[in-house]
Amino acid sequence: MVTYIYGISDKVVVYLKSDYQLKTRDTKELASATFFAPYDKTVEPYIRIATGDYEELVSERGKNDALWAILRSMAHEIIHYQQWLEDKEMDEKEAENGSEELLDSYYEFL
């Protein structure tokens, strides 16, 4: 579905981590998800998603919303991956908007 909508033909590895949060490689800030965008296109990029708060999210929001929160983080990083493929700047606003569009498309697909 992502390939069809966004024309992404390359694959990206997604690691699901049991941590509550992850440190970003460059700024060492805590985040729910990260995208490693190497300078060299021959080096494999990857996405990491923190899932350690899943049980708490289920208790607070319910199973569907907890899963949706994880999908939202992954969709955000997929948009960063697309930006990297297209040699664009990592634009947070575009990632936010694009991730919502991607999730809307996924929801319609269901």
Side-chain angles (χ1 to χ4, degrees):
M1 189 66 170
V2 172
T3 300
Y4 176 74
I5 294 170
Y6 289 98
I8 298 173
S9 59
D10 294 325
K11 295 179 183 176
V12 63
V13 174
V14 177
Y15 296 102
L16 300 177
K17 307 289 283 180
S18 61
D19 302 325
Y20 274 75
Q21 293 184 308
L22 307 166
K23 281 188 182 178
T24 60
R25 288 177 59 100
D26 51 349
T27 64
K28 306 297 183 206
E29 294 178 68
L30 293 176
S32 61
T34 65
F35 171 62
F36 170 61
Y39 291 108
D40 182 351
K41 294 282 183 162
T42 64
V43 175
E44 185 175 73
Y46 58 84
I47 293 170
R48 297 181 309 153
I49 309 292
T51 62
D53 63 345
Y54 175 73
E55 293 298 328
E56 289 176 27
L57 290 173
V58 169
S59 295
E60 294 170 9
R61 303 181 189 179
K63 185 177 179 180
N64 289 343
D65 283 350
L67 290 172
W68 204 252
I70 292 170
L71 285 174
R72 178 176 285 112
S73 293
M74 187 161 62
H76 180 99
E77 301 310 323
I78 287 171
I79 300 303
H80 282 316
Y81 172 60
Q82 180 185 23
Q83 292 169 341
W84 177 78
L85 284 174
E86 297 173 359
D87 295 319
K88 296 165 86 177
E89 291 290 323
M90 296 292 153
D91 183 319
E92 287 300 317
K93 184 74 169 168
E94 181 180 350
E96 286 297 318
N97 294 336
S99 64
E100 289 302 318
E101 181 181 322
L102 181 57
L103 287 175
D104 288 345
S105 297
Y106 176 68
Y107 184 76
E108 290 173 16
F109 179 74
L110 296 175

